[in-house]
Amino acid sequence: MAVKDEQAGSGRSKLFRTKSIEQSIKDTDEPETKLRKELNSWDLTVFGVAVVIGAGIFTLTARTAGNVAGPSVSLAFVIAAIACGLAALCYAEFASTVPVAGSAYTFSYATFGEFVAWIIGWDLILEFALASSVVAKGWSLYLGEVMGSRSPIVELGPISFDWGAVLVIAVITILLATGTKLSSRVSLVITAIKVAVVLLVIIVGLFYIDTDNYSPYIPPSQPGSTGEGIHQSLFSYVTGAGGSTFGWYGLLAAASLVFFAFIGFDVVATTAEEAKEPQKALPRGILGSLLIVTVLYVAVTLVLTGMVKYTELEGDTSNLATAFAFHDITWAKNVISFGALAGLTTVVMVLMLGQTRVLFAMARDGLMPRRLAPTGKHGTPVRITILVGVVVAVLAGVFPIGTLEEMVNIGTLFAFVLVSIGVLVLRRTRPDLPRGFRVPLVPLVPILAVLACLWLMFNLSVETWMRFVVWMAVGVVIYFAYSRQHSMIGKRERGEIE
């Protein structure tokens, strides 16, 4: 009986064995899996702005205003930004303390142990793969508009093939395999273009604002197909409100939806290992990019909902150009389409970059096949980059993505919760570690970050929660079937490697 108890205890300890900060940093010097340190504060800020300014402004803003929140979508962005800001402070401390690829996965390995790290890594795979696919399909839609409303989708028997989405993914895969510094330079040029377009939207749109369009700021609640049954938010389902279209429930649901627009600053943390001065560059890149995009987002939503009544934005096809088309400002509509095409390009690029770095960290740790980890002559994980490119291309090219933005949101929020808790854990277990950035008002700020992210998760739909639980269950099976046995830490414990 005692032997069984000892074995059970040993099994539990294996699940929660941690990888020390020192070991994580030591692993970054392995010649076979070494990434080049080429990125500075400016590069990281550009990456953050590049990925965040894209799908949110060009597609999600108008749809959320027309279908869920009305003019109060601007307040929804503020709520989402506050939650992101709290989490961003926690990310900045972790990334400056543990400058290793993998972001929340690596942070969790150092604080909660291997099983939780695997769960969050599996969760991030979901986030980045789906987000890349969703945005690539959005890029393809704008490509169709630029080509004169010709669809980039061809019918191959029973399959609808989106060659536009596959094209942008193929080009980006080559760029990422060639080198991270080259990717940052391309991002800088394209990001400058789309920021200029966003500023143009704000300046031109100001002349067409009718303040009557802001009333009612929070439209009265309405029943609708998007807010009934498993399609309604978990919060409205539990409280018995029965719907989340407009009204206060709509506003809360909108905050959870537009959270998708902020996804990206956490990608900066995945490039920690490639930063020249991570203790300074990472906090600046994370917090700087978030501040810039929050100001731009709120300004754009105020202009958009002031230009047209929110009811004109109803449906799944409305976007930022819709308001300008309503006022017959054709030239601005065309500029927005080109800007969106450029903007979404960098979004796909940085999301795929994040995906490759998380998988790289997991492969180096043995939780994914180690043969994927080696880096090529350009200092990038070429095998993983190609694998990610193929998977994302298949998802975007063949499968109808639909409303999978919510799946991306729940995965990201879950990661934010663990990172925020992890700051508290690491402060207690390793107070001796040098920290390039320290979260202020600990434990208040991390606790508020956890509560804010859980609140946003609670306002995602019931069906999203159901899909998330299924994905996590699949991940648990893979961990016990493969990852636990091939873990590098486990092999060191068994004396198989030094």
Side-chain angles (χ1 to χ4, degrees):
M1 189 69 175
V3 174
K4 287 184 178 180
D5 289 341
E6 185 178 335
Q7 289 174 342
S10 176
R12 285 192 294 270
S13 66
K14 288 179 182 178
L15 287 179
F16 300 104
R17 55 194 175 197
T18 58
K19 182 179 182 182
S20 70
I21 306 297
E22 290 77 8
Q23 183 63 52
S24 293
I25 295 174
K26 181 181 177 182
D27 286 348
T28 66
D29 291 326
E30 290 183 7
E32 190 178 319
T33 59
K34 188 178 180 65
L35 297 172
R36 287 186 183 176
K37 295 183 181 296
E38 299 182 312
L39 305 177
N40 54 34
S41 300
W42 178 245
D43 293 322
L44 297 178
T45 302
V46 168
F47 270 142
V49 174
V51 70
V52 180
I53 295 184
I57 279 187
F58 294 113
T59 59
L60 193 60
T61 306
R63 292 206 309 268
T64 305
N67 301 325
V68 184
S72 67
V73 67
S74 57
L75 180 56
F77 270 102
V78 173
I79 294 171
I82 291 172
C84 280
L86 293 169
L89 292 171
C90 298
Y91 263 90
E93 175 167 324
F94 245 130
S96 66
T97 308
V98 193
V100 179
S103 184
Y105 159 77
T106 300
F107 307 156
S108 297
Y109 215 154
T111 50
F112 302 111
E114 185 172 282
F115 181 65
V116 176
W118 164 263
I119 289 294
I120 201 64
W122 185 246
D123 168 67
L124 289 172
I125 289 172
L126 170 74
E127 172 195 342
F128 290 133
L130 290 182
S132 301
S133 303
V134 169
V135 178
K137 290 188 81 70
W139 185 93
S140 183
L141 289 174
Y142 274 105
L143 177 65
E145 290 191 18
V146 170
M147 295 191 306
S149 299
R150 287 187 295 175
S151 175
I153 298 176
V154 296
E155 302 297 330
L156 301 175
I159 298 174
S160 296
F161 179 68
D162 191 336
W163 63 262
V166 173
L167 173 65
V168 69
I169 290 167
V171 172
I172 287 170
T173 299
I174 294 171
L175 273 175
L176 292 177
T178 302
T180 309
K181 189 66 177 179
L182 175 61
S183 303
S184 73
R185 288 170 180 163
V186 173
S187 289
L188 175 60
V189 174
I190 300 178
T191 300
I193 294 172
K194 66 180 177 182
V195 169
V197 170
V198 170
L199 292 175
L200 177 71
V201 167
I202 295 170
I203 294 169
V204 174
L206 284 172
F207 294 97
Y208 293 89
I209 288 178
D210 181 353
T211 53
D212 289 341
N213 290 330
Y214 293 129
S215 181
Y217 185 67
I218 301 178
S221 180
Q222 298 176 11
S225 60
T226 58
E228 300 296 329
I230 63 172
H231 301 291
Q232 66 183 301
S233 71
L234 182 62
F235 177 68
S236 62
Y237 179 82
V238 171
T239 57
S244 55
T245 303
F246 302 120
W248 284 100
Y249 287 111
L251 171 61
L252 296 174
S256 298
L257 286 172
V258 301
F259 182 83
F260 179 81
F262 288 97
I263 290 173
F265 77 81
D266 57 321
V267 176
V268 175
T270 69
T271 63
E273 199 171 317
E274 294 155 275
K276 293 178 181 177
E277 296 181 274
Q279 285 73 21
K280 294 180 180 179
L282 286 161
R284 290 173 184 172
I286 291 171
L287 299 174
S289 59
L290 185 60
L291 177 62
I292 291 169
V293 300
T294 299
V295 172
L296 292 176
Y297 272 156
V298 173
V300 166
T301 53
L302 288 172
V303 167
L304 176 68
T305 53
M307 289 181 68
V308 295
K309 195 71 176 176
Y310 70 92
T311 51
E312 298 291 337
L313 300 172
E314 186 178 358
D316 293 329
T317 58
S318 59
N319 55 43
L320 194 56
T322 303
F324 289 85
F326 181 82
H327 288 282
D328 295 322
I329 316 174
T330 306
W331 67 269
K333 176 179 177 293
N334 293 336
V335 168
I336 290 170
S337 294
F338 277 106
L341 201 61
L344 295 180
T345 302
T346 55
V347 176
V348 178
M349 177 185 292
V350 183
L351 286 171
M352 287 180 62
L353 174 67
Q355 173 82 92
T356 60
R357 295 315 183 256
V358 171
L359 270 175
F360 168 76
M362 296 176 76
R364 187 164 60 187
D365 290 336
L367 301 186
M368 287 290 188
R370 279 274 295 180
R371 59 181 175 274
L372 294 175
T375 51
K377 64 179 181 179
H378 298 291
T380 59
V382 178
R383 295 176 185 177
I384 285 177
T385 301
I386 294 173
L387 174 63
V388 168
V390 170
V391 172
V392 173
V394 170
L395 286 172
V398 178
F399 293 95
I401 300 299
T403 59
L404 288 180
E405 291 102 330
E406 286 197 32
M407 284 292 287
V408 180
N409 290 359
I410 196 168
T412 307
L413 285 164
F414 182 58
F416 286 5
V417 167
L418 286 184
V419 168
S420 300
I421 296 173
V423 166
L424 296 175
V425 174
L426 204 61
R427 283 281 188 100
R428 180 176 292 273
T429 58
R430 293 298 306 273
D432 58 305
L433 287 173
R435 290 167 168 81
F437 176 85
R438 297 178 71 89
V439 177
L441 302 175
V442 172
L444 179 61
V445 169
I447 290 173
L448 289 176
V450 170
L451 294 176
C453 292
L454 287 175
W455 175 249
L456 290 177
M457 290 177 73
F458 202 37
N459 280 281
L460 289 170
S461 69
V462 176
E463 63 180 331
T464 298
W465 276 92
M466 293 167 62
R467 291 169 182 162
F468 182 67
V469 169
V470 170
W471 175 259
M472 289 294 107
V474 172
V476 170
V477 171
I478 293 175
Y479 173 77
F480 284 104
Y482 176 87
S483 302
R484 187 167 67 155
Q485 304 302 319
H486 293 81
S487 164
M488 296 300 290
I489 290 182
K491 289 183 177 181
R492 289 191 183 98
E493 289 177 350
R494 295 191 296 269
E496 295 177 20
I497 58 174
E498 295 183 2

